[in-house]
Amino acid sequence: MAFVVALFTASCSQDELLGDGGTEEVPVTFTATVDYTIETQGDDTAGNMKQAATRATSTQDDAPTRFYAQAVSNGTLSNVVAGIKNDDGTYSFTLQVAKDTKSDYMFWADNATTDNEPTDLRSVSYTIGGIAFAATAQGTPETVGKTVELKHVVAKVTLKTTTDVSSEYSKNISLTASCASKYNVQEASASSFEDKSVFIEMTDAGLAANSEVLTTYIIPNPDDKAVTFSAHDLAQTIDVVHLVANTNVTLQGGLSEDNPKWGATKEYVEKQINFFFKKKNGDPVGYFEGGAYRFYLPEEKITDLEAVLSAIFHKNVELNLTQSGTIFEEVLDNDYTFKILHAGFDKKLNILINDNETYVVSYNPVNDYYVNFSVVSDKLNNQTE
């Protein structure tokens, strides 16, 4: 489908309108079509998740449901007019503009569901996920081109998994990118960028390998090309994705939980800590003393703690017991901290969550009356509650 705009100049009547400043105005009628073709990007992106290295042209795309036009004459905005659908699928717009004066004509189409219609096409509100098209024309009522074709102002982003995906606890999959909240049709520019997310929820059946997970639209930020996607309460960020208006980008890679490229989120870490350090009924394990739950772990089994930490943070963790002070630290979502302090002289590891001492793991035999750390580490093999 294509979006075509034909412009017809209406003849002046004897009762032509006069503006407040005495400028004579005449009606100008445009007919518009939408160009649905969109180029598929083909550059590989560094990282585990990649842009699909293919090039193609798509003619199947979401259709706009709202059509608007507006003119700027002598610095004065006309009213925004809604398009009238024609029998051939095109839309017509009639604008009042200054006679014998060069004007800027702006055209916008989207599928927003808001009840608020735009009043200034130089600052149209936009929400991630919506389709949007725009076009401009310039000239006097007599010389301006009488047809216009609207093209995408959004980039289309498709997320695809190359592996089977299932989850027992977190079924949400999301994609986050910097997206404009405002668009200026006259200048063909976007503004008010913020990180915005779109979500889908998996069914109990999960997702099959090589299936499309979600598709969304974004007015991209030219200065922030990072895209983050998450699943299983884990996240992965591609620092540079080439999002450009009127292009389709497919990001593909393994979305299963065992993909080592995932990074832990605060939600993931909290769930893992609860799994390892609490019983199924929610009661904590460990010897409670001095505001912390305490465990004994023989020094030759320190790898058991490393394995638990690796599972909690979904990455390989190694602890250097030859170093004192902070030997492990993670900051998640800018407001969640997990830190391990090593008191080598006491052979003790103090685990602080948000700067509060929460767990203590001692490898000093003097403290063997603490709860054996095996009640935690055995859960790696589901040997205990």
Side-chain angles (χ1 to χ4, degrees), residues 225-244:
K225 301 182 183 301
V227 173
T228 298
F229 51 95
S230 63
H232 323 289
D233 289 328
L234 299 164
Q236 185 181 158
T237 297
I238 304 175
D239 292 329
V240 179
V241 178
H242 299 291
L243 298 180
V244 181

Side-chain angles (χ1 to χ4, degrees), residues 4 40 135 142 181 229 271 312 363:
V4 177
T40 298
E142 295 77 18
S181 298
F229 51 95
K271 287 179 180 179
I312 290 174
Y363 58 95

Side-chain angles (χ1 to χ4, degrees), residues 29 72 85 118 235 293:
T29 301
V72 182
K85 189 173 184 178
Y293 294 93

Side-chain angles (χ1 to χ4, degrees), residues 116-129:
N116 297 325
E117 296 189 343
T119 58
D120 187 346
L121 296 189
R122 298 171 303 178
S123 183
V124 187
S125 295
Y126 175 78
T127 301
I128 188 172

Side-chain angles (χ1 to χ4, degrees), residues 94-367:
T94 298
L95 294 166
Q96 294 292 139
V97 297
K99 184 179 181 181
D100 299 326
T101 301
K102 184 177 180 180
S103 300
D104 288 334
Y105 304 90
M106 301 174 288
F107 303 89
W108 174 266
D110 64 26
N111 63 351
T113 57
T114 177
D115 293 332
N116 297 325
E117 296 189 343
T119 58
D120 187 346
L121 296 189
R122 298 171 303 178
S123 183
V124 187
S125 295
Y126 175 78
T127 301
I128 188 172
I131 196 72
F133 300 82
T136 59
Q138 294 79 35
T140 67
E142 295 77 18
T143 63
V144 67
K146 303 305 186 284
T147 61
V148 291
E149 186 177 57
L150 280 72
K151 294 182 178 293
H152 294 87
V153 299
V154 294
K156 185 176 183 178
V157 185
T158 301
L159 181 62
K160 183 178 180 180
T161 180
T162 56
T163 57
D164 292 337
V165 185
S166 62
S167 180
E168 296 180 0
Y169 58 94
S170 176
K171 298 184 182 300
N172 283 338
I173 296 178
S174 69
L175 183 148
T176 302
S178 180
C179 177
S181 298
K182 296 289 183 181
Y183 190 81
N184 185 330
V185 178
Q186 183 180 23
E187 301 295 334
S189 63
S191 61
S192 300
F193 291 98
E194 297 178 358
D195 284 345
K196 300 291 184 180
S197 301
V198 291
F199 301 84
I200 65 102
E201 185 175 353
M202 286 187 293
T203 65
D204 291 339
L207 298 165
N210 300 315
S211 62
E212 291 187 359
V213 177
L214 63 81
T215 295
T216 191
Y217 297 95
I218 296 172
I219 296 183
N221 186 342
D223 299 322
D224 186 352
K225 301 182 183 301
V227 173
T228 298
F229 51 95
S230 63
H232 323 289
D233 289 328
L234 299 164
Q236 185 181 158
T237 297
I238 304 175
D239 292 329
V240 179
V241 178
H242 299 291
L243 298 180
V244 181
N246 205 36
T247 60
N248 181 13
V249 172
T250 297
L251 303 174
Q252 59 184 19
L255 292 180
S256 59
E257 186 175 356
D258 58 2
N259 185 338
K261 296 295 184 178
W262 288 116
T265 65
K266 177 175 112 176
E267 289 76 16
Y268 185 85
V269 168
E270 288 178 330
K271 287 179 180 179
Q272 292 290 81
I273 289 174
N274 287 337
F275 169 75
F276 283 107
F277 289 92
K278 289 184 179 180
K279 300 177 182 178
K280 286 186 176 180
N281 64 6
D283 293 339
V285 296
Y287 178 80
F288 189 74
E289 179 183 78
Y293 294 93
R294 300 170 185 270
F295 302 88
Y296 171 68
L297 177 64
E299 185 171 0
E300 64 271 16
K301 291 188 174 182
I302 202 69
T303 54
D304 289 355
L305 174 58
E306 293 174 333
V308 168
L309 292 172
S310 297
I312 290 174
F313 290 95
H314 205 270
K315 67 178 184 179
N316 184 49
V317 174
E318 295 182 359
L319 301 176
N320 183 3
L321 297 186
T322 65
Q323 175 184 344
S324 295
T326 301
I327 62 171
F328 181 80
E329 184 173 14
E330 287 287 323
V331 179
L332 304 171
D333 301 339
N334 298 317
D335 62 355
Y336 184 91
T337 60
F338 186 102
K339 183 185 298 184
I340 298 180
L341 302 179
H342 180 217
F345 52 91
D346 282 337
K347 296 188 174 183
K348 189 181 297 183
L349 298 163
N350 300 307
I351 300 176
L352 282 67
I353 299 177
N354 293 331
D355 296 324
N356 295 314
E357 187 178 73
T358 307
Y359 304 105
V360 175
V361 179
S362 172
Y363 58 95
N364 188 338
V366 175
N367 296 319

